[in-house]
Amino acid sequence: MNTTALALLELGAVFFALGMLGRVAGRVGMSPIPLYLLGGLAFGSGGFIDLAEADEFGHVAGEIGVVLLLLLLGLEYTAAELVTGLRRSWPAGLVDIVVNSIPGVVVALLLGWGLLGALTMGGVTYISSSGIVAKVLNDLGRLGNRETPVVLSILVFEDLAMAVYLPILTTLLAGLSFISGLRALGVALATITLVLVVALRYGRYVSAIVDSSDNEVFLLKLLGAALLVAGAASALNISAVVGAFLLGIAISGSTAHQAAKLLEPLRDLFAAIFFVAFGLSTDPRAIPPVLGWAVLLTVVTTVTKVATGWWAAQRQGIRRMGRARAGAALVAHGEFSIVIAGLAVTTGAVAGELAALVSAYVLLMAVLGPIAARVVEPLVGFVKREPGPAVTP
């Protein structure tokens, strides 16, 4: 069989399998991310079948998936919302960074992965999944709840923190000097500031450049702009995903809504390939040795995320049930954790076991997050229930 035919067969099988896995996830009311990762693990290096011909396409498509994920995330925010969210949530955001990154840092150091491994794992355990959290809040009808702005403001802070963290991580993984690292950080901060200023004052002009009444033209200009900005950001060691996120912020108004509508199907397709590609690059035989650490991190960071949301909601005067819902909503981890691990593993600067640990950890957290959000109300209600009066015989 020729190479082209084999590649088409493999890609067809992958796409069809992704569709079936997504359908299963929808039926049971969970995020499809864990199933996509499992699919990649089953058919990658060390799995049942090695899809060698589809691997190159999967790598490129996965990179596009990451760009689209962050572009769509940026389209959800306006620059004004980001600034307001930052002002409102910075104390909770700082607490979130400290208490949720420490577990990943400690485990990486205990496993002997060095400072780079510690920095990587700190980011993995810190960042919640904005996509999963938003979907769960929408599915459960909690978007209008009083604690929801607290949750969203923490997610906004996390996304902005990633815009600073990823350039630093990228620079260190590339083995650049301390001075180069400071220069990269300075460029990143200057770029973020410039984009926010442009978005606040001139966002309509950015939107006008990519806008079009023809959906085909609009999609081509939007996707082309996203890839150009991501490529330029990567060349400056800022990180391609940060560039895509900042472009999304700069597009506003009706253009942003139309862009999100057009890009969502593409985002879902390429993002699914991204998760599968990460699974394909991870040897499932490497997971059992680190599974215990993944379970430990799952338990610890579930507690720390719930505590973060509880404390942040308490500062806003929200009652106990709302505090518990806020904490449970932050538990889910997903796309960003995989993005961080992917950056580290592809450079070869960290231990290969890190990918296996992150795969297991994200599998657990992506499943546990929606479950925690669903069961928190009956659980808190059961705990708060007072015993009835004693019955005298």
Side-chain angles (χ1 to χ4, degrees), residues 155 264 319 363:
L155 294 177
E264 277 181 1
R319 294 179 180 272
L363 281 170

Side-chain angles (χ1 to χ4, degrees), residues 146-170:
R146 192 181 170 203
E147 76 277 356
T148 297
V150 176
V151 174
L152 296 179
S153 65
I154 291 175
L155 294 177
V156 169
F157 189 95
E158 289 186 351
D159 294 335
L160 283 175
M162 284 294 106
V164 177
Y165 165 82
L166 286 174
I168 297 174
L169 180 65
T170 303

Side-chain angles (χ1 to χ4, degrees), residues 21-103:
L21 291 172
R23 183 176 183 181
V24 170
R27 287 285 181 89
V28 299
M30 64 177 285
S31 166
I33 291 175
L35 297 184
Y36 294 158
L37 283 173
L38 285 174
L41 289 169
F43 296 102
S45 175
F48 299 112
I49 302 174
D50 188 4
L51 301 178
E53 298 301 328
D55 187 59
E56 184 175 350
F57 173 83
H59 177 72
V60 176
E63 292 295 323
I64 296 174
V66 175
V67 169
L68 291 178
L69 274 171
L70 273 294
L71 176 62
L72 266 291
L73 184 61
L75 289 171
E76 292 178 8
Y77 301 122
T78 66
E81 288 172 342
L82 283 175
V83 173
T84 302
L86 187 59
R87 288 173 179 169
R88 179 190 303 169
S89 65
W90 70 265
L94 292 179
V95 170
D96 186 24
I97 289 176
V98 173
V99 301
N100 291 293
S101 62
I102 285 178

Side-chain angles (χ1 to χ4, degrees), residues 26 31 37 47 54 81 110 126 130 141 154 179 215 218 224 257 260 279 298 342 351 368 383:
S31 166
L37 283 173
E81 288 172 342
L110 289 174
Y126 159 60
S130 300
I154 291 175
I179 298 299
N215 285 344
F218 187 20
H257 293 296
T298 298
L368 181 62
V383 173

Side-chain angles (χ1 to χ4, degrees), residues 1 46 62-63 65 97 105 116 118 137 162 182 222 238 246 269 272 281 301 309 315 320 338 358 366 380:
M1 185 179 299
E63 292 295 323
I97 289 176
V105 169
L116 274 180
L137 291 176
M162 284 294 106
L182 288 179
L222 188 61
I238 295 177
L246 294 177
L269 172 63
S281 65
T301 54
R315 290 183 68 249
R320 182 177 298 179
I338 298 295
V358 174
V380 172

